[in-house]
Short mmCIF file of all heavy atoms in Angstrom, two decimals:
data_model
loop_
_atom_site.label_atom_id
_atom_site.label_comp_id
_atom_site.label_asym_id
_atom_site.label_seq_id
_atom_site.Cartn_x
_atom_site.Cartn_y
_atom_site.Cartn_z
N TRP Q 462 34.48 14.32 -0.94
CA TRP Q 462 33.10 14.47 -1.42
C TRP Q 462 32.89 13.67 -2.68
O TRP Q 462 33.73 13.62 -3.58
CB TRP Q 462 32.80 15.96 -1.74
CG TRP Q 462 32.68 16.83 -0.49
CD1 TRP Q 462 33.58 17.73 -0.05
CD2 TRP Q 462 31.60 16.82 0.42
NE1 TRP Q 462 33.12 18.33 1.11
CE2 TRP Q 462 31.89 17.76 1.43
CE3 TRP Q 462 30.41 16.10 0.52
CZ2 TRP Q 462 31.05 18.02 2.51
CZ3 TRP Q 462 29.56 16.36 1.59
CH2 TRP Q 462 29.87 17.31 2.55
N GLY Q 463 31.71 13.04 -2.79
CA GLY Q 463 31.34 12.33 -3.98
C GLY Q 463 30.74 13.26 -5.03
O GLY Q 463 30.68 14.49 -4.83
N ALA Q 464 30.32 12.69 -6.12
CA ALA Q 464 29.73 13.48 -7.21
C ALA Q 464 28.38 14.04 -6.80
O ALA Q 464 27.70 13.46 -5.99
CB ALA Q 464 29.60 12.65 -8.48
N TRP Q 465 27.99 15.18 -7.43
CA TRP Q 465 26.66 15.73 -7.19
C TRP Q 465 25.58 14.81 -7.74
O TRP Q 465 25.76 14.21 -8.80
CB TRP Q 465 26.55 17.12 -7.88
CG TRP Q 465 27.36 18.20 -7.16
CD1 TRP Q 465 28.49 18.75 -7.56
CD2 TRP Q 465 27.00 18.83 -5.93
NE1 TRP Q 465 28.95 19.70 -6.69
CE2 TRP Q 465 28.04 19.81 -5.68
CE3 TRP Q 465 25.94 18.76 -5.07
CZ2 TRP Q 465 28.01 20.66 -4.56
CZ3 TRP Q 465 25.92 19.55 -3.94
CH2 TRP Q 465 26.95 20.48 -3.72
N SER Q 466 24.49 14.72 -7.02
CA SER Q 466 23.36 13.88 -7.45
C SER Q 466 22.60 14.63 -8.57
O SER Q 466 22.88 15.78 -8.86
CB SER Q 466 22.41 13.61 -6.30
OG SER Q 466 21.76 14.80 -5.90
N SER Q 467 21.65 13.93 -9.17
CA SER Q 467 20.76 14.61 -10.17
C SER Q 467 19.83 15.58 -9.43
O SER Q 467 19.66 15.50 -8.21
CB SER Q 467 19.91 13.56 -10.87
OG SER Q 467 19.19 12.79 -10.01
N CYS Q 468 19.30 16.53 -10.15
CA CYS Q 468 18.45 17.58 -9.55
C CYS Q 468 17.19 17.01 -9.04
O CYS Q 468 16.50 16.20 -9.70
CB CYS Q 468 18.17 18.64 -10.61
SG CYS Q 468 17.41 20.14 -9.92
N ASN Q 469 16.86 17.37 -7.80
CA ASN Q 469 15.65 16.87 -7.13
C ASN Q 469 14.63 18.00 -6.95
O ASN Q 469 14.79 18.85 -6.09
CB ASN Q 469 16.04 16.28 -5.76
CG ASN Q 469 14.91 15.69 -4.99
OD1 ASN Q 469 13.81 15.53 -5.56
ND2 ASN Q 469 15.14 15.36 -3.77
N PRO Q 470 13.54 18.01 -7.80
CA PRO Q 470 12.61 19.18 -7.70
C PRO Q 470 11.97 19.28 -6.37
O PRO Q 470 11.68 18.31 -5.74
CB PRO Q 470 11.60 18.86 -8.81
CG PRO Q 470 12.28 17.86 -9.73
CD PRO Q 470 13.20 17.09 -8.78
N ASN Q 471 11.70 20.52 -5.94
CA ASN Q 471 11.02 20.75 -4.70
C ASN Q 471 9.58 20.29 -4.79
O ASN Q 471 8.99 19.79 -3.82
CB ASN Q 471 11.05 22.25 -4.30
CG ASN Q 471 12.44 22.70 -3.97
OD1 ASN Q 471 13.28 21.94 -3.52
ND2 ASN Q 471 12.74 23.96 -4.20
N ASN Q 472 8.96 20.50 -5.94
CA ASN Q 472 7.56 20.07 -6.16
C ASN Q 472 7.42 19.50 -7.54
O ASN Q 472 7.95 20.09 -8.52
CB ASN Q 472 6.62 21.29 -6.02
CG ASN Q 472 6.55 21.81 -4.56
OD1 ASN Q 472 6.06 21.15 -3.69
ND2 ASN Q 472 7.08 22.96 -4.35
N GLY Q 473 6.66 18.41 -7.65
CA GLY Q 473 6.43 17.86 -8.99
C GLY Q 473 7.68 17.24 -9.60
O GLY Q 473 8.52 16.67 -8.88
N ASN Q 474 7.82 17.42 -10.91
CA ASN Q 474 8.90 16.74 -11.63
C ASN Q 474 9.83 17.73 -12.37
O ASN Q 474 10.68 17.29 -13.10
CB ASN Q 474 8.30 15.80 -12.65
CG ASN Q 474 7.48 14.71 -12.03
OD1 ASN Q 474 8.03 13.79 -11.36
ND2 ASN Q 474 6.18 14.75 -12.17
N CYS Q 475 9.53 19.03 -12.14
CA CYS Q 475 10.46 20.00 -12.75
C CYS Q 475 10.40 21.27 -11.95
O CYS Q 475 9.71 21.41 -10.96
CB CYS Q 475 10.03 20.26 -14.22
SG CYS Q 475 8.37 20.92 -14.35
N GLY Q 476 11.20 22.27 -12.38
CA GLY Q 476 11.24 23.55 -11.68
C GLY Q 476 12.46 23.61 -10.72
O GLY Q 476 13.43 22.83 -10.81
N ALA Q 477 12.33 24.53 -9.77
CA ALA Q 477 13.41 24.73 -8.78
C ALA Q 477 13.53 23.52 -7.90
O ALA Q 477 12.53 22.88 -7.55
CB ALA Q 477 13.18 25.96 -7.94
N GLY Q 478 14.77 23.21 -7.54
CA GLY Q 478 15.01 22.05 -6.65
C GLY Q 478 16.39 22.13 -6.04
O GLY Q 478 17.01 23.16 -5.93
N PHE Q 479 16.88 20.95 -5.65
CA PHE Q 479 18.23 20.91 -5.04
C PHE Q 479 18.91 19.64 -5.48
O PHE Q 479 18.30 18.67 -5.87
CB PHE Q 479 18.10 21.00 -3.53
CG PHE Q 479 17.41 19.80 -2.94
CD1 PHE Q 479 18.08 18.64 -2.54
CD2 PHE Q 479 16.02 19.82 -2.76
CE1 PHE Q 479 17.44 17.55 -2.01
CE2 PHE Q 479 15.35 18.75 -2.19
CZ PHE Q 479 16.06 17.63 -1.80
N ARG Q 480 20.21 19.63 -5.39
CA ARG Q 480 21.00 18.41 -5.58
C ARG Q 480 21.98 18.28 -4.39
O ARG Q 480 22.21 19.27 -3.69
CB ARG Q 480 21.71 18.42 -6.91
CG ARG Q 480 22.70 19.59 -7.08
CD ARG Q 480 23.40 19.44 -8.42
NE ARG Q 480 24.39 20.46 -8.61
CZ ARG Q 480 25.30 20.47 -9.57
NH1 ARG Q 480 25.36 19.48 -10.47
NH2 ARG Q 480 26.21 21.46 -9.69
N SER Q 481 22.47 17.12 -4.23
CA SER Q 481 23.33 16.89 -3.04
C SER Q 481 24.53 16.06 -3.43
O SER Q 481 24.60 15.43 -4.45
CB SER Q 481 22.54 16.17 -1.95
OG SER Q 481 22.11 14.91 -2.41
N ARG Q 482 25.51 16.16 -2.53
CA ARG Q 482 26.67 15.26 -2.61
C ARG Q 482 27.02 14.80 -1.19
O ARG Q 482 26.72 15.51 -0.23
CB ARG Q 482 27.87 15.92 -3.28
CG ARG Q 482 28.43 17.09 -2.54
CD ARG Q 482 29.65 17.66 -3.26
NE ARG Q 482 30.26 18.76 -2.52
CZ ARG Q 482 31.42 19.35 -2.90
NH1 ARG Q 482 32.05 18.91 -3.96
NH2 ARG Q 482 31.91 20.34 -2.18
N THR Q 483 27.59 13.65 -1.07
CA THR Q 483 27.80 13.08 0.23
C THR Q 483 29.25 12.61 0.39
O THR Q 483 29.99 12.44 -0.61
CB THR Q 483 26.85 11.89 0.48
OG1 THR Q 483 27.09 10.87 -0.53
CG2 THR Q 483 25.41 12.35 0.41
N ARG Q 484 29.60 12.39 1.61
CA ARG Q 484 30.86 11.70 1.99
C ARG Q 484 30.61 10.88 3.18
O ARG Q 484 29.69 11.15 3.98
CB ARG Q 484 32.00 12.70 2.19
CG ARG Q 484 31.70 13.74 3.28
CD ARG Q 484 32.84 14.68 3.43
NE ARG Q 484 32.57 15.72 4.45
CZ ARG Q 484 33.45 16.65 4.81
NH1 ARG Q 484 34.66 16.68 4.20
NH2 ARG Q 484 33.14 17.52 5.70
N ARG Q 485 31.40 9.86 3.39
CA ARG Q 485 31.13 8.91 4.44
C ARG Q 485 32.16 9.05 5.58
O ARG Q 485 33.33 9.44 5.35
CB ARG Q 485 31.20 7.46 3.91
CG ARG Q 485 30.13 7.23 2.88
CD ARG Q 485 30.22 5.77 2.35
NE ARG Q 485 29.20 5.50 1.38
CZ ARG Q 485 27.95 5.11 1.69
NH1 ARG Q 485 27.59 5.05 2.96
NH2 ARG Q 485 27.05 4.91 0.78
#
Side-chain angles (χ1 to χ4, degrees):
W462 288 107
W465 287 104
S466 68
S467 56
C468 191
N469 182 9
N471 293 332
N472 293 292
N474 299 289
C475 61
F479 63 90
R480 60 178 184 168
S481 62
R482 63 177 183 175
T483 60
R484 57 181 178 177
R485 297 180 179 277

